[in-house]
Amino acid sequence: MDFFAHQDRARRNTGWLVVLFIIAVTLLVFLANFCIAVAIGWTELNGTNPNGTNSFNTILNQFSWTRFIYVGIAIWCVVLGAIIFKRLQLSEGGKRVAESLGGHRIYPNSEDTDERRVLNVVEEMALASGMPVPPVYLLANEVGINAFAAGNSPSDAVIGVTRGCINLLNRDQLQGVIAHEFSHILNGDMRLNMRLITALHGIEFIGGMGEVLLRVRSNRSGAQVFLLGGVLWIIGFLGTLFGDMIRSAVSRQREFLADASAVQFTRNPQGIADALKVIGGHQAGTSISSPATGEVSHIFFGQALSRLGGMFDTHPPLMDRILRVQPEWNGAFIYKEIQKDTTDAEPEDSGKEKMAKAVALGAALNGEFIDPAELLLQGNIVSVQEGLSHIPDSLREQAHDPLGASALMLGLLFSDDEAVYQKQLGYLKQKPTPGLLELIQQQTPALEQLSRALYLPLLELSMPALKCLSAEQYKLFKQRLLLLIRADEEVDLFEWCLFQELQHYLDPEFGKVRNLRPRYREMQQIAEPYRLVLSVLVYEGHDDREDIERAFNRGIGSAGLYNLAIVPEDACDLGEFRAAVKELAYAYPHLKPRMLMGFVNAVKQDGVITPIEREIVRSIAAVMDSPVPSLDEA
């Protein structure tokens, strides 16, 4: 998947959304003035001209440019006010959408078989796509087979699934659906969907006002209020119609892309094809009964709500989607009844046996040793499943518990130097949390034996549990991270990477994050900080001097910068490196993909991607608040 190409396409769609929105509101202004003129003219005709003669002229005479301007201003104020209100609501991210639909969070340490299975699939898919594991929400009362991804960015994204989805789909089918939703996160559709919700709420809000006024009963002004309510309801109905048209125009083609991306992630077209066939054979299909479905219908995996006989459906027909994935399909659907699926009762244990056999077989066929941890760096669902089997059970179990996940992240920062270690222990004893220190010490032997390549996957597995901390607990956790990092009075690259990843993906869960105002429009304006960051990256990832030079030149050229020399290694101060990365974050959005692809191409120069290279690139992208480019595609 060309990630940044899809991001560009998403931005173009956002531009079209703005154009369509302005057209829709402008039409509403004209229609509102027409309805008001008709209403006033009709009232005047009934009062002064019961025979109705010259009725058209009477209505036409009610038009006033002064009223037109006032009505236009009033409608724009109402629409923009509703948009601002909705935007503030959605600033909390995807969890607000999930909760509005009646969803509740599936806690990472859930023991329910079906919930455990969907959590495992989401974990695998997140690691395969190179992003932290998002929280999962269950719409427990929805029997339709559906799912969604919601959020303003990957840092506050959530995955939602219906009860019908987890009860009726097997593991392969569920993988296909979840992979589809991850595609929406990665290619920019999710952010566009959230903007669509916000923009269309303003248009549809007018109709809601009209419905309220239609229900008002007043002896003195009932007729006038009813008439005003009727006008607003008509305007709101037309606004809703425009909203459905915009949803349909923006979202339908993106579903085909997400289906294709799901096949790319899972390497299994049968999974998503069969999921669509099960939907076709299920009586409830993909329907969602929540009253909040209307304004978010476009975010779902399947058509959640159909209006006007499907004329403005947000999703392509089911049969078209199946045929795109599986052209040889014979037209037969799969029929199932809702029941507990026990075939995946112990998915982790059975999966580990298969993974171990696959690794052993691969090593035997190639006649060479394979480091299982490196499988996680290959970036597809099969290699991720195999790689995860080599994270000890004790660590994976703790990663699903808020206290255990906190202990894991703090444990990764413990120093080998005895004096520094004792200092770090002292910090943790200052404000003791019951059981925390004991957990860290209990996990230390397993962490010491853990492959370096598994540190980042372990961090990503811990994200949902860490997001379950209270605001006060997170504040204390963050303070402890900084104390442990500063215990030796210096910050190394791993410590910096760990803190940046945690801060970027956890801060939005516990408070609002200040958006940076861009300052740099041209690459030349940030050539020096880019040169320093790239120099540090290539020194960390390469040993041979010629490889270092080639990697640096490739990174500089990919970013569109030339005639720049690498910074001498002894001049690469980590403090200046951190400041330079922050400076890159002030670039305009169109520059960030070029910079990140420069880093990626430099990393790929020697054909070997080390764990620290991956961590540095991921952390730079986090600081820049930019999508993480694929490190696995040539």
Side-chain angles (χ1 to χ4, degrees), residues 506-570:
L506 293 179
D507 273 6
E509 183 74 18
F510 299 100
K512 295 179 180 179
V513 180
R514 183 175 62 89
N515 293 322
L516 299 177
R517 187 183 297 274
R519 293 201 297 252
Y520 305 119
R521 294 181 180 273
E522 303 294 336
M523 279 298 301
Q524 289 296 336
Q525 294 176 288
I526 46 175
E528 281 305 310
Y530 182 82
R531 182 171 77 109
L532 175 59
V533 172
L534 181 61
S535 298
V536 172
L537 178 61
V538 298
Y539 283 130
E540 287 294 323
H542 304 80
D543 295 321
D544 182 77
R545 184 64 196 183
E546 291 185 1
D547 280 343
I548 290 173
E549 289 287 349
R550 281 195 293 264
F552 179 82
N553 290 334
R554 187 176 178 187
I556 287 292
S558 298
L561 296 171
Y562 305 96
N563 301 320
L564 291 177
I566 189 169
V567 177
E569 188 169 7
D570 57 5

Side-chain angles (χ1 to χ4, degrees), residues 306-328:
S306 186
R307 289 173 173 163
L308 298 177
M311 185 183 304
F312 298 124
D313 282 354
T314 54
H315 291 65
L318 196 64
M319 296 181 69
D320 290 353
R321 292 176 67 181
I322 297 173
L323 287 170
R324 287 282 187 103
V325 177
Q326 198 174 67
E328 71 280 6

Side-chain angles (χ1 to χ4, degrees), residues 266-338:
T266 62
R267 307 293 197 268
N268 178 20
Q270 193 71 38
I272 190 168
D274 283 353
L276 293 167
K277 293 173 194 174
V278 173
I279 290 171
H282 182 43
Q283 184 176 4
T286 54
S287 62
I288 300 293
S289 60
S290 170
T293 304
E295 65 179 359
V296 298
S297 60
H298 57 289
I299 74 172
F300 282 92
F301 174 78
Q303 188 68 37
L305 187 68
S306 186
R307 289 173 173 163
L308 298 177
M311 185 183 304
F312 298 124
D313 282 354
T314 54
H315 291 65
L318 196 64
M319 296 181 69
D320 290 353
R321 292 176 67 181
I322 297 173
L323 287 170
R324 287 282 187 103
V325 177
Q326 198 174 67
E328 71 280 6
W329 178 49
N330 62 6
F333 290 119
I334 299 174
Y335 296 89
K336 286 187 178 181
E337 295 181 1
I338 290 187

Side-chain angles (χ1 to χ4, degrees), residues 72-142:
I73 292 173
I75 289 178
W76 272 105
C77 287
V78 169
V79 169
L80 293 177
I83 287 174
I84 292 171
F85 174 77
K86 177 59 70 172
R87 185 168 184 175
L88 291 174
Q89 275 191 327
L90 297 182
S91 63
E92 297 179 34
K95 65 179 182 179
R96 183 63 186 239
V97 176
E99 290 168 356
S100 73
L101 290 166
H104 69 266
R105 181 178 292 190
I106 301 177
Y107 289 103
N109 55 3
S110 171
E111 296 182 358
D112 180 88
T113 301
D114 287 332
E115 292 181 359
R116 186 71 255 151
R117 180 173 45 141
V118 72
L119 288 173
N120 290 340
V121 170
V122 170
E123 286 178 356
E124 294 163 0
M125 203 58 58
L127 293 174
S129 58
M131 63 173 285
V133 182
V136 181
Y137 281 76
L138 175 65
L139 308 187
N141 297 322
E142 301 291 353

Side-chain angles (χ1 to χ4, degrees), residues 48-343:
T48 62
N49 190 7
N51 296 324
T53 56
N54 297 320
S55 57
F56 177 77
N57 290 333
T58 302
I59 293 174
L60 190 62
N61 290 334
Q62 304 309 313
F63 177 81
S64 164
W65 280 109
T66 302
R67 185 189 300 120
F68 181 90
I69 293 172
Y70 286 146
V71 168
I73 292 173
I75 289 178
W76 272 105
C77 287
V78 169
V79 169
L80 293 177
I83 287 174
I84 292 171
F85 174 77
K86 177 59 70 172
R87 185 168 184 175
L88 291 174
Q89 275 191 327
L90 297 182
S91 63
E92 297 179 34
K95 65 179 182 179
R96 183 63 186 239
V97 176
E99 290 168 356
S100 73
L101 290 166
H104 69 266
R105 181 178 292 190
I106 301 177
Y107 289 103
N109 55 3
S110 171
E111 296 182 358
D112 180 88
T113 301
D114 287 332
E115 292 181 359
R116 186 71 255 151
R117 180 173 45 141
V118 72
L119 288 173
N120 290 340
V121 170
V122 170
E123 286 178 356
E124 294 163 0
M125 203 58 58
L127 293 174
S129 58
M131 63 173 285
V133 182
V136 181
Y137 281 76
L138 175 65
L139 308 187
N141 297 322
E142 301 291 353
V143 296
I145 302 172
N146 225 324
F148 64 87
N152 298 303
S153 68
S155 61
D156 62 21
V158 305
I159 295 291
V161 293
T162 62
R163 175 64 68 185
C165 186
I166 66 174
N167 281 359
L168 284 168
L169 301 183
N170 64 29
R171 190 182 180 87
D172 285 346
Q173 294 159 1
L174 193 57
Q175 275 183 354
V177 172
I178 298 300
H180 174 105
E181 297 308 322
F182 268 89
S183 170
H184 283 314
I185 297 175
L186 292 169
N187 63 26
D189 293 339
M190 181 184 69
R191 179 176 291 182
L192 175 63
N193 285 339
M194 295 291 277
R195 290 174 178 173
L196 199 57
I197 293 170
T198 302
L200 298 187
H201 176 75
I203 299 175
E204 296 169 350
F205 177 75
I206 299 174
M209 290 176 56
E211 290 183 11
V212 170
L213 290 175
L214 283 174
R215 295 188 179 96
V216 172
R217 292 291 180 269
S218 171
N219 293 330
R220 297 180 61 187
S221 58
Q224 290 87 339
V225 171
F226 185 83
L227 184 62
L228 177 59
V231 171
L232 289 176
W233 183 85
I234 292 172
I235 296 169
F237 171 79
L238 294 172
T240 302
L241 184 64
F242 292 149
D244 289 340
M245 291 172 63
I246 294 172
R247 284 192 187 95
S248 177
V250 171
S251 67
R252 291 186 68 154
Q253 286 303 313
R254 293 179 297 124
E255 297 304 318
F256 287 128
L257 171 63
D259 287 344
S261 299
V263 174
Q264 180 180 347
F265 278 134
T266 62
R267 307 293 197 268
N268 178 20
Q270 193 71 38
I272 190 168
D274 283 353
L276 293 167
K277 293 173 194 174
V278 173
I279 290 171
H282 182 43
Q283 184 176 4
T286 54
S287 62
I288 300 293
S289 60
S290 170
T293 304
E295 65 179 359
V296 298
S297 60
H298 57 289
I299 74 172
F300 282 92
F301 174 78
Q303 188 68 37
L305 187 68
S306 186
R307 289 173 173 163
L308 298 177
M311 185 183 304
F312 298 124
D313 282 354
T314 54
H315 291 65
L318 196 64
M319 296 181 69
D320 290 353
R321 292 176 67 181
I322 297 173
L323 287 170
R324 287 282 187 103
V325 177
Q326 198 174 67
E328 71 280 6
W329 178 49
N330 62 6
F333 290 119
I334 299 174
Y335 296 89
K336 286 187 178 181
E337 295 181 1
I338 290 187
Q339 57 185 358
K340 276 281 189 179
D341 188 348
T342 59
T343 59

